[in-house]
Amino acid sequence: MVAYVIIPGIDGSNERHWQSLWEKRWGSSAVRIAPASWSRPDLPDWVRAIQDAYEIASRREGKVALVAHSLGCWATAHWLYRTRPDGVTAFLVAPPNPQGPAFPGEAAPTFLDLSARPLPCRSLMVASDDDPYCDPTTSASLAHTWQAQGHFIGSHGHINSGSGLGDWQAGQELLRVLVDG
């Protein structure tokens, strides 16, 4: 069995977001991070929240899948660099470019200076061809630097609730293949 750590982006994921729909389906196998700084993300706060959620999830199951979206991808990568846990996979969806023009730097200043480094676990980075927060070239570069498998899903914006993906069956299959890997 697998436990899932849900790591949304700024303001969390609303009830129509694929992360929230998956979390509901997974029930007690899922743990959502709970940082105090949802709207003005503070990297140390988010990293602590990931650690707390990971500890709960890893007590439930030996295998843990980190399911991150947007800014949550960067918090996840930073946590992975620091802790290097065993038995973890990382599913990273629509990471923004911290140096890009659309990045909300005023809301998330502690994320501005992050740079990608190889991740210490099996990982998959999913991106869209028309994400307003990260162009395809930068997304491909992130996947390469993180040493994550890169997967582009066409034109689905920021792969959030506004993308109309519902519970995103194709994403669930990508995650299943990653976890079963």
Side-chain angles (χ1 to χ4, degrees):
M1 296 293 292
V2 177
Y4 301 93
V5 175
I6 308 295
I7 308 161
I10 291 177
D11 291 326
S13 297
N14 67 29
E15 68 280 349
R16 294 181 337 273
H17 195 286
W18 56 269
Q19 276 184 315
S20 297
L21 297 171
W22 292 5
E23 179 183 10
K24 188 174 182 179
R25 173 181 291 146
W26 292 329
S28 64
S29 293
V31 181
R32 181 181 288 248
I33 67 167
S37 60
W38 274 123
S39 296
R40 295 197 50 81
D42 174 65
L43 183 60
D45 178 42
W46 282 40
V47 168
R48 275 190 304 276
I50 293 170
Q51 180 65 37
D52 292 346
Y54 170 77
E55 288 173 5
I56 294 167
S58 64
R59 284 193 297 267
R60 293 179 182 169
E61 300 294 341
K63 261 176 131 171
V64 175
L66 307 172
V67 180
H69 178 256
S70 192
L71 199 60
C73 296
W74 283 101
T76 298
H78 192 72
W79 179 79
L80 285 166
Y81 303 144
R82 292 180 61 196
T83 60
R84 302 188 171 284
D86 291 326
V88 171
T89 55
F91 185 70
L92 309 169
V93 179
N97 176 1
Q99 286 75 45
F103 188 81
E106 287 184 20
T110 57
F111 286 76
L112 287 172
D113 294 328
L114 293 176
S115 58
R117 294 178 280 184
L119 298 175
C121 64
R122 194 170 62 256
S123 54
L124 172 66
M125 192 217 63
V126 181
S128 171
D129 294 333
D130 62 349
D131 188 332
Y133 298 101
C134 195
D135 65 82
T137 301
T138 303
S139 291
S141 177
L142 284 174
H144 177 76
T145 304
W146 277 334
Q147 295 180 355
Q149 179 185 353
H151 185 86
F152 283 84
I153 63 166
S155 299
H156 290 286
H158 195 47
I159 313 177
N160 56 13
S161 57
S163 299
L165 296 169
D167 69 355
W168 192 28
Q169 291 290 319
Q172 290 177 51
E173 179 60 18
L174 290 169
L175 176 60
R176 186 195 62 75
V177 169
L178 173 69
V179 169
D180 289 349

